[in-house]
């Protein structure tokens, strides 16, 4: 109980101490409110600074954007007229190109039509040339050619010329036989290879291999080189060509001509075309170029078109290729 005796008895507090403790306890809530106010003030300051920074930054950005807009506005005002003018020019060029394209389209269509027309005309011309060439080829065929069946009617033709020297030739057995009348139906027109009849007037009757509508005759004589030899005097001068009807022997005059020695040795004469076909052609020599003794004929060609019933000789084409 000694220990209990050692326990200290609670000290007695004075009234002053007791009042001080009460005062300290009453001040605790006031200090908490002060801290809250300080935090609010700090937050307000920070918010104000941040807001001021944001406002200042935004103002700077707006000012910068305003400045750039002003610069762009100046540039736009400076270059806008040029842009508008350029666009107007481009619009004008576009309209002009469209107009030119339309015009060119019309011209192209017209040219295409003209080309088509020219092609058709060219085709027609080619066809015409082909037909004319074929007709000309037919017309220029030599129907009076011995190799294709043409012959001489000896009974109605003049006699072959015989000169005095032929008796001496026969006496000495020399080959001096005169050329027969069908010499004029062969292509060889070399010097001296002609048929001669006596005097300046005579005739020859040619029987063709088929009936034809005669359109032209060609007469050959010696070449210009022989003019110095005086060979032109025996050439025929004035002559006529007639068609002979085989049944009635009636003659139809087809033309009267003159062989001119001053021209080329081969001369072609157009005949009067009548709607009749003849197989017998008669050539009458009315004069020559001065030789009183004889007249020489080198070659006579008869050209024309065959009829539907004409029979073409099988070797006509090949013969005419080799006739020149």
């Amino acid at each position: 109980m000694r220990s209990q005796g050692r326990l200290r008895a609670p000290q007695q507090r004075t009234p002053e101490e007791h009042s001080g403790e009460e005062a300290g306890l009453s001040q605790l809530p006031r200090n908490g409110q002060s801290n809250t106010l300080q935090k609010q003030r700090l937050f307000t300051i920070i918010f104000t600074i941040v807001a001021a920074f944001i406002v200042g930054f935004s103002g700077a950005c707006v000012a910068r954007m305003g400045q750039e807009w002003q610069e762009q506005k100046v540039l736009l005002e400076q270059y806008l007229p040029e842009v508008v003018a350029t666009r107007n020019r481009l619009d004008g060029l576009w309209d002009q190109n469209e107009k030119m394209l339309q015009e060119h389209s019309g011209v192209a269509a017209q040219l295409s039509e003209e080309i088509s027309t020219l092609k058709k005309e060219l085709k027609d011309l080619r066809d015409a040339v082909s037909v004319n060439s074929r007709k000309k080829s037919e017309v220029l065929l030599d129907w009076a050619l011995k190799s294709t069946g043409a012959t001489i009617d000896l009974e109605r033709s003049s006699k072959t010329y015989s000169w005095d020297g032929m008796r001496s030739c026969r006496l000495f057995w020399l080959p001096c036989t005169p050329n027969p009348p069908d010499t004029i139906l062969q292509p060889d027109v070399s010097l001296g290879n002609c048929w001669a009849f006596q005097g300046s007037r005579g005739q020859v009757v040619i029987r063709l291999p088929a009936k034809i509508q005669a359109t032209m005759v060609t007469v050959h004589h010696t070449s210009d080189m022989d003019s110095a030899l005086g060979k032109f005097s025996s050439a025929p001068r004035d002559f006529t060509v007639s068609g002979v009807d085989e049944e009635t022997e009636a003659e139809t005059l087809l033309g009267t001509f003159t062989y001119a020695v001053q021209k080329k040795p081969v001369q072609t004469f157009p005949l009067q075309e009548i709607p009749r076909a003849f197989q017998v052609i008669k050539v009458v020599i009315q004069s020559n170029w001065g030789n009183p003794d004889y007249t020489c004929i080198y070659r006579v060609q008869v050209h024309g078109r065959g009829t539907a019933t004409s029979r073409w000789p099988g070797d006509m084409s090949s013969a005419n290729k080799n006739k020149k």
Side-chain angles (χ1 to χ4, degrees):
M1 301 313 198
R2 185 179 292 182
S3 59
Q4 293 178 353
R6 291 180 182 178
L7 292 174
R8 293 180 61 183
Q11 295 179 0
Q12 296 293 327
R13 294 180 181 179
T14 63
E16 289 82 3
E17 291 177 350
H18 183 73
S19 60
E21 290 178 0
E22 291 178 354
L25 292 173
S26 62
Q27 289 179 355
L28 289 175
R30 295 180 180 176
N31 291 334
Q33 293 177 356
S34 176
N35 291 333
T36 300
L37 292 174
Q38 290 178 358
K39 290 179 180 181
Q40 291 178 352
R41 291 175 181 174
L42 179 60
F43 177 77
T44 301
I45 293 171
I46 293 173
F47 178 78
T48 302
I49 293 173
V50 172
F53 176 77
I54 292 174
V55 171
F57 181 76
S58 299
C61 290
V62 171
R64 180 63 180 170
M65 291 175 62
Q67 183 179 0
E68 291 180 354
W69 169 252
Q70 291 296 331
E71 293 177 355
Q72 292 178 0
K73 184 178 180 181
V74 172
L75 292 175
L76 184 61
E77 292 177 352
Q78 181 179 357
Y79 292 106
L80 182 60
E82 296 182 4
V83 172
V84 173
T86 302
R87 181 177 178 178
N88 293 334
R89 287 197 298 271
L90 291 176
D91 291 340
L93 291 175
W94 178 264
D95 295 338
Q96 184 178 359
N97 289 335
E98 285 187 347
K99 184 177 180 181
M100 292 177 63
L101 182 60
Q102 293 177 355
E103 292 177 354
H104 291 166
S105 298
V107 173
Q110 183 178 358
L111 289 176
S112 177
E113 184 178 356
E114 291 180 357
I115 290 173
S116 299
T117 303
L118 289 176
K119 286 183 178 180
K120 184 178 182 302
E121 291 178 356
L122 180 61
K123 182 179 180 301
D124 295 341
L125 181 60
R126 287 178 177 175
D127 294 341
V129 169
S130 177
V131 172
N132 290 336
S133 298
R134 179 172 55 82
K135 289 182 178 179
K136 185 177 180 181
S137 176
E138 293 177 358
V139 169
L140 292 181
L141 284 174
D142 182 13
W143 291 83
L145 197 60
K146 183 178 180 179
S147 60
T148 61
T151 58
I152 299 295
D153 188 341
L154 298 177
E155 294 183 357
R156 290 188 286 181
S157 299
S158 298
K159 301 299 181 182
T160 301
Y161 173 70
S162 298
W163 61 93
D164 295 337
M166 292 185 61
R167 297 179 181 179
S168 300
C169 291
R170 293 173 182 174
L171 180 64
F172 293 99
W173 299 90
L174 295 177
C176 54
T177 304
N179 294 324
D182 60 6
T183 302
I184 67 174
L185 305 180
Q186 302 182 55
D188 185 8
V189 290
S190 58
L191 181 62
N193 192 41
C194 63
W195 172 63
F197 60 85
Q198 188 171 359
S200 60
R201 297 177 62 88
Q203 67 182 36
V204 60
V205 178
I206 305 171
R207 181 178 180 83
L208 306 177
K211 280 188 175 183
I212 67 167
Q213 184 178 354
T215 57
M216 291 181 291
V217 293
T218 299
V219 177
H220 297 248
H221 196 67
T222 185
S223 64
D224 295 338
M225 296 184 300
D226 305 314
S227 60
L229 302 177
K231 302 297 181 180
F232 283 162
S233 63
S234 63
R237 184 170 183 171
D238 299 320
F239 65 97
T240 63
V241 178
S242 302
V244 181
D245 186 280
E246 292 185 89
E247 296 180 358
T248 63
E249 295 187 358
E251 299 182 4
T252 301
L253 182 64
L254 300 178
T256 300
F257 312 101
T258 298
Y259 180 88
V261 293
Q262 65 271 20
K263 296 182 180 180
K264 293 182 179 180
V266 180
Q267 300 177 28
T268 300
F269 306 91
L271 301 177
Q272 178 184 358
E273 294 192 28
I274 60 176
R276 288 190 59 185
F278 299 97
Q279 191 169 359
V280 178
I281 300 297
K282 181 179 180 180
V283 180
V284 178
I285 307 299
Q286 296 175 334
S287 63
N288 63 18
W289 284 90
N291 193 315
D293 298 326
Y294 60 88
T295 301
C296 284
I297 303 176
Y298 275 80
R299 187 182 181 187
V300 175
Q301 293 177 279
V302 180
H303 313 289
R305 292 184 292 271
T307 63
T309 58
S310 297
R311 182 180 177 183
W312 291 65
D315 58 346
M316 174 70 78
S317 299
S318 59
N320 277 279
K321 289 180 181 178
N322 300 323
K323 69 182 178 179
K324 293 183 179 181

